[in-house]
Amino acid sequence: MNWKEFWNQYKGAIIGVIIAILILVTRLHDLILAIVVLVLGAFIGNYVQQNKEDVKAKLKKFIDKM
């Protein structure tokens, strides 16, 4: 297998590893994690607001099981 075949077969993995190394070296993973937590919080908050009664029933059922 020559270099061109290797590159064509594994270029996605190679690029992914390079990006992961850059994120770790520049400590961007802290920022990315913070953004993910904020977005998840927004989605969860919106879901709870839109489905209040359903969430109350599920929480009550969950607490009763405990």
Side-chain angles (χ1 to χ4, degrees):
M1 176 181 296
N2 63 21
W3 174 249
K4 189 173 183 177
E5 290 173 4
F6 180 81
W7 174 254
N8 285 335
Q9 187 170 357
Y10 297 108
K11 68 182 166 191
I14 294 169
I15 292 170
V17 167
I18 292 170
I19 291 172
I21 290 171
L22 287 174
I23 287 173
L24 290 174
V25 168
T26 58
R27 310 252 327 144
L28 282 175
H29 60 281
D30 293 335
L31 176 63
I32 293 169
L33 181 62
I35 291 171
V36 168
V37 168
L38 287 172
V39 169
L40 283 175
F43 279 123
I44 291 170
N46 186 44
Y47 177 80
V48 170
Q49 183 180 7
Q50 299 296 325
N51 302 295
K52 287 179 188 173
E53 296 304 318
D54 190 33
V55 171
K56 283 181 188 178
K58 287 180 182 178
L59 274 175
K60 184 177 181 329
K61 187 177 179 182
F62 177 74
I63 292 171
D64 289 343
K65 284 184 180 180
M66 294 177 79

